[in-house]
Amino acid sequence: MTGGCSIVWFRRDLRVEDNPALAAGVRSGKVIPVFIWAPEEEGHYYPGRVSRWWLKQSLSLLDSSLKNLGTSLITKRSSDSVSSLLDVIKSTGATQLFFNHLYDPLSLVRDHRAKEILSENGIIVRSFNADLLYEPWEVLDDEGRPFTTFAAFWERCLSMPYDPEPPQLPPKRIISGDVSKCPSDTLVFENESEKGSNALLSRAWTPGWSNGNKALTAFINGPLLHYSINRRKADSATTSFLSPHLHFGEVSVRKVFHQARIKQILWANEGNKSGEESVNLFLKSIGLREYSRYMSFNHPYSHERPLLGHLKFFPWVIDEGYFKVWRQGRTGYPLVDAGMRELWATGWLHDRIRVVVSSFFVKVLQLPWRWGMKYFWDTLLDADLESDALGWQYISGSLPDSHELERIDNPQIEGYKFDPNGEYVRRWLPELSRLPTEWIHHPWNAPEFVLQAAGIELGSNYPLPIVKIDTAQTRLQQALTQMWQHEANSRAVLENGIEEGLGDSTDDTPIAFPQDMQMETEQDNLGNRVTTTIRHYEDQMVPSLTVTTSLFRGTEQEEEEEEESSTDHRNGGHDDRRAEVPDDDDMNLESGREGIQSVIPQFNNQIDLRNINGGGGGSHSPAESSSGTSFRRERDGVMVPVWSPGNSDTSSYLQRHPQSHQVINWRQLSQTG
DNA sequence: TGTCGGTTGGT
DNA sequence: CCAACCGAC
């Protein structure tokens, strides 16, 4: 209660309301709110342009709110958050650090380290739950193990013996600590060339926690009622638009949950079945967000590697040309192309269309899913590592409850489902705007005179399908056969006693991917030479956004690959081509495997986050949280993640799903050859 | 009002 | 694949 001054370390909890770390700081006395911008720590997942734009706005609004309450946000530019925290502590004399939990793999490691180092320095460190209804370690099955399917997980969440914490009001006043010796750094979130593009974003979006609350209120009192009816429409006017707010923690998910629940009770009492169902469906999407954190916590590799191990044997098509065509929205499938153009133009995509384009990516083009995930990361306004990883894993059939890999959704049929009148396609594909609805989702079947009347010349101003669906289906079958064979071979090798210990962190599979490829050298739009190199690799490669040098002051990433830095000059040319689609100059290739190790080397060791807490009594076992209806959580950060290394083993994950359709399919495939 | 096939949706 | 749903008997 007394004495020292505390640092409240803001990250993706950019709100003053229902912010347990901030509340704890206020309770304990003087507060210094700090935000540290250390993008180098994110490795591959350096935030994309639109995401950085959002963050910039959000921080500025948070700062004004804090100023109204009596303090202000200290901002630090850093390449190492923990040492920056130590600097702030030294220059302010703070004695405590409070922050809210994050669950992405990088944060789990960094925050663990922060707790360790700061505790060693005599700082009291406490962390809290601000991002979830329940902490991942609270939600366990009857045997005390983490759930491995969504439905069971969510059912348990909805029937926990205690409700999620009700949202807290913002503090009335914050007493500021002494920051006279702790100047803020100016944070640069966009370069000159990005400013023009970003200016457009502010017409459509208003970041910040108070705007997030407005969006929530508007949604709850508006589209929520008809959510169940409208959710199939590609036309995104009926979604909540809360995801970017939730990603940055501007809106408390618990507030969202409580408000939706209140509506649900109201509608249930009125006998409004459709409204009640709408809330269920909306809450389910909140549940998926919860589940993404849950999966990330329990399987901290899920953004890099498939949960079900067989997928690493899938012979991905390593084709940059396909990848480019997909990004540019020139696949010849109108629904896919419209989605990709919308994504590029706005940073936004309706959930359904995300599924369409990503499933096309994986199943028709058979490109490595991590490429697609990375592109989403770079372009989505609500890019969110955990959610996106879950989504792509679901799409690519590597979750026990996901879509089957061999089932290709036909974009033509999906088109008439989600965009029955073709309005969405016409909005984003002006070249098809005069095509009648009858042909809008399959122009390749349209009679010549229809195309002529619509001013379309297939293969010229709109492409023919890049891959026919039945061709894709055949290719996919072959690929799957190959995958299961490789998987079986690998299993045989493992059973013969080859080492297994490294398996989880390094993908040292005896069966290497066969692809060695020669990338061609080509010119990008601006006449820069784009050079890619011959590469051998055993895992899928991940093209990564070449980081804009002007945003970096500190050290370059310690990738030993010269190509990485040699491509940097290309960024100079990455300008304001807003109306255009992304081009290759955004991307370069690097081996995912080296990437993994350089980003999160700690995962090669066993990690245990137990009891780093300064608060005493902090150790917390899963059994404790699941036992007893009288159990009541404290908000005071006494609980810390207990992160069992065993859980992150994908082979055990597979073992827990002997009935999964993947295994059944494997048997079928082996029989048929 | 039951149940049978076909269809649809599914994290 | 499998459950839920729907319309036809």
Side-chain angles (χ1 to χ4, degrees):
Chain A
M1 297 300 116
T2 62
C5 157
S6 24
I7 289 170
V8 174
W9 182 20
F10 281 89
R11 295 101 62 84
R12 265 167 271 147
D13 51 348
L14 304 179
R15 61 177 187 263
V16 295
E17 174 185 277
D18 194 37
N19 187 323
L22 178 62
V26 170
R27 268 200 308 276
S28 75
K30 293 177 181 171
V31 171
I32 297 171
V34 174
F35 180 86
I36 299 167
W37 173 238
E40 289 85 352
E41 285 181 350
E42 315 284 328
H44 294 302
Y45 296 97
Y46 177 82
R49 173 178 62 82
V50 291
S51 184
R52 276 180 277 122
W53 171 82
W54 188 291
L55 177 59
K56 180 188 176 189
Q57 317 299 316
S58 189
L59 284 172
S60 137
L61 289 162
L62 176 66
D63 185 42
S64 356
S65 299
L66 290 169
K67 285 194 167 107
N68 288 338
L69 292 167
T71 180
S72 67
L73 188 64
I74 298 292
T75 53
K76 288 288 181 186
R77 179 64 175 84
S78 169
S79 56
D80 177 15
S81 295
V82 178
S83 50
S84 289
L85 285 171
L86 284 168
D87 289 347
V88 174
I89 284 162
K90 279 195 192 105
S91 58
T92 59
T95 56
Q96 306 182 88
L97 173 73
F98 300 138
F99 64 88
N100 295 310
H101 292 150
L102 295 174
Y103 309 90
D104 66 281
L106 300 171
S107 296
L108 286 168
V109 171
R110 181 198 50 219
D111 296 351
H112 170 66
R113 190 170 147 253
K115 278 195 175 181
E116 244 174 11
I117 293 177
L118 271 66
S119 300
E120 280 165 16
N121 281 269
I123 304 297
I124 295 169
V125 183
R126 292 197 181 163
S127 60
F128 305 83
N129 171 18
D131 195 47
L132 294 174
L133 301 176
Y134 299 103
E135 291 282 18
W137 54 90
E138 293 176 70
V139 186
L140 300 166
D141 68 15
D142 292 335
E143 276 100 59
R145 297 181 306 182
F147 288 97
T148 56
T149 55
F150 171 71
F153 163 81
W154 187 231
E155 195 185 342
R156 175 57 56 92
C157 286
L158 292 175
S159 61
M160 290 284 277
Y162 49 96
D163 285 331
E165 292 290 339
Q168 299 174 329
L169 293 171
K172 291 193 182 62
R173 172 151 187 83
I174 300 174
I175 301 161
S176 187
D178 177 13
V179 294
S180 58
K181 294 189 189 110
C182 184
S184 279
D185 296 335
T186 304
L187 304 185
V188 180
F189 292 108
E190 59 186 9
N191 62 30
E192 283 306 314
S193 69
E194 290 171 332
K195 280 183 180 160
S197 315
N198 286 344
L200 295 171
L201 287 170
S202 58
R203 292 191 202 163
W205 296 95
T206 48
W209 71 276
S210 52
N211 292 317
N213 279 333
K214 281 180 203 156
L216 173 60
T217 307
F219 175 68
I220 295 274
N221 295 320
L224 176 60
L225 180 59
H226 300 299
Y227 192 79
S228 64
I229 302 161
N230 289 327
R231 88 205 136 98
R232 305 182 88 234
K233 301 251 178 74
D235 199 311
S236 37
T238 54
T239 59
S240 72
F241 296 109
L242 285 173
S243 55
H245 294 291
L246 283 168
H247 170 75
F248 287 106
E250 298 172 349
V251 168
S252 155
V253 74
R254 292 187 289 247
K255 183 167 176 178
V256 175
F257 183 83
H258 279 270
Q259 294 207 357
R261 259 289 161 81
I262 288 167
K263 275 287 180 197
Q264 187 173 41
I265 291 163
L266 189 78
W267 288 331
N269 288 338
E270 289 169 358
N272 185 340
K273 284 272 180 272
S274 132
E276 204 185 338
E277 183 55 20
S278 282
V279 176
N280 278 336
L281 283 165
F282 172 66
L283 289 181
K284 192 171 128 185
S285 67
I286 296 294
L288 285 166
R289 180 182 175 282
E290 298 272 311
Y291 191 55
S292 72
R293 271 89 179 132
Y294 187 79
M295 292 300 269
S296 179
F297 177 79
N298 286 309
H299 311 281
Y301 274 106
S302 57
H303 67 307
E304 301 279 6
R305 297 192 295 117
L307 258 322
L308 294 180
H310 60 264
L311 211 75
K312 75 183 167 198
F313 301 106
F314 189 92
W316 301 104
V317 174
I318 307 296
D319 188 323
E320 289 252 29
Y322 276 12
F323 187 32
K324 182 173 177 177
V325 158
W326 179 77
R327 296 197 312 265
Q328 295 180 330
R330 301 189 199 285
T331 67
Y333 290 94
L335 187 65
V336 173
D337 292 341
M340 295 310 292
R341 307 263 183 105
E342 181 184 20
L343 173 58
W344 176 248
T346 67
W348 180 260
L349 213 46
H350 189 286
D351 183 49
R352 292 284 157 155
I353 306 302
R354 294 183 195 203
V355 173
V356 169
V357 300
S358 55
S359 142
F360 184 87
F361 184 93
V362 169
K363 300 184 182 194
V364 177
L365 301 179
Q366 294 163 33
L367 293 166
W369 63 272
R370 285 176 56 215
W371 291 15
M373 192 181 111
K374 183 61 165 61
Y375 183 71
F376 270 24
W377 175 258
D378 290 338
T379 53
L380 277 171
L381 198 58
D382 60 355
D384 181 282
L385 197 54
E386 297 95 308
S387 291
D388 292 348
L390 184 69
W392 282 88
Q393 296 243 1
Y394 164 64
I395 287 310
S396 56
S398 62
L399 297 169
D401 46 358
S402 64
H403 270 165
E404 274 171 75
L405 191 46
E406 45 264 79
R407 177 154 141 188
I408 293 182
D409 294 313
N410 189 328
Q412 175 185 340
I413 294 164
E414 307 266 282
Y416 286 105
K417 265 192 238 165
F418 304 139
D419 182 31
N421 304 316
E423 289 156 10
Y424 179 71
V425 164
R426 290 193 192 90
R427 180 167 344 126
W428 294 105
L429 303 178
E431 61 267 47
L432 300 184
S433 61
R434 292 159 63 203
L435 192 62
T437 302
E438 188 184 357
W439 307 107
I440 193 77
H441 292 298
H442 53 136
W444 58 89
N445 289 333
E448 192 51 41
F449 75 91
V450 171
L451 292 172
Q452 263 179 31
I456 297 163
E457 197 187 329
L458 289 179
S460 169
N461 61 358
Y462 188 75
L464 284 158
I466 179 172
V467 181
K468 289 201 184 121
I469 294 298
D470 51 354
T471 311
Q473 188 70 63
T474 312
R475 240 175 39 178
L476 186 58
Q477 271 323 322
Q478 289 165 353
L480 287 168
T481 308
Q482 223 183 79
M483 175 179 87
W484 292 117
Q485 276 166 2
H486 285 183
E487 200 261 359
N489 291 348
S490 148
R491 201 198 315 238
V493 172
L494 282 178
E495 278 162 11
N496 284 340
I498 307 295
E499 53 79 34
E500 201 171 357
L502 292 171
D504 194 49
S505 54
T506 59
D507 245 33
D508 274 324
T509 60
I511 307 297
F513 269 114
Q515 290 89 349
D516 298 318
M517 50 179 301
Q518 168 77 64
M519 305 287 186
E520 75 272 56
T521 299
E522 54 178 311
Q523 302 278 122
D524 70 11
N525 284 358
L526 301 150
N528 298 318
R529 284 185 70 71
V530 177
T531 313
T532 41
T533 50
I534 302 168
R535 199 69 73 118
H536 295 250
Y537 50 88
E538 295 172 354
D539 194 0
Q540 43 177 299
M541 300 185 298
V542 181
S544 79
L545 183 71
T546 312
V547 165
T548 306
T549 28
S550 68
L551 295 173
F552 277 73
R553 292 208 306 238
T555 54
E556 269 298 335
Q557 303 170 56
E558 67 263 89
E559 309 253 276
E560 54 271 72
E561 314 204 1
E562 301 92 82
E563 294 92 328
E564 179 82 16
S565 51
S566 73
T567 53
D568 278 352
H569 69 277
R570 293 198 262 121
N571 293 297
H574 176 47
D575 66 358
D576 179 13
R577 284 169 293 121
R578 197 70 193 111
E580 284 194 43
V581 290
D583 207 341
D584 271 350
D585 57 345
D586 284 346
M587 298 286 167
N588 79 42
L589 288 174
E590 63 191 301
S591 143
R593 178 178 174 164
E594 283 139 353
I596 289 169
Q597 291 177 344
S598 67
V599 174
I600 37 176
Q602 291 90 334
F603 283 137
N604 292 330
N605 306 323
Q606 296 226 320
I607 292 173
D608 187 356
L609 298 183
R610 226 173 314 244
N611 195 27
I612 311 303
N613 197 304
S619 91
H620 169 69
S621 76
E624 195 180 326
S625 67
S626 60
S627 71
T629 50
S630 65
F631 177 70
R632 172 146 177 89
R633 289 169 303 158
E634 302 207 28
R635 291 199 92 158
D636 255 0
V638 288
M639 290 173 196
V640 289
V642 178
W643 188 12
S644 160
N647 285 340
S648 60
D649 179 20
T650 47
S651 61
S652 71
Y653 191 84
L654 184 57
Q655 275 161 22
R656 289 186 56 185
H657 290 279
Q659 310 301 345
S660 77
H661 50 72
Q662 284 84 355
V663 175
I664 291 162
N665 289 337
W666 170 69
R667 291 204 193 98
Q668 288 168 344
L669 282 164
S670 330
Q671 279 160 16
T672 53

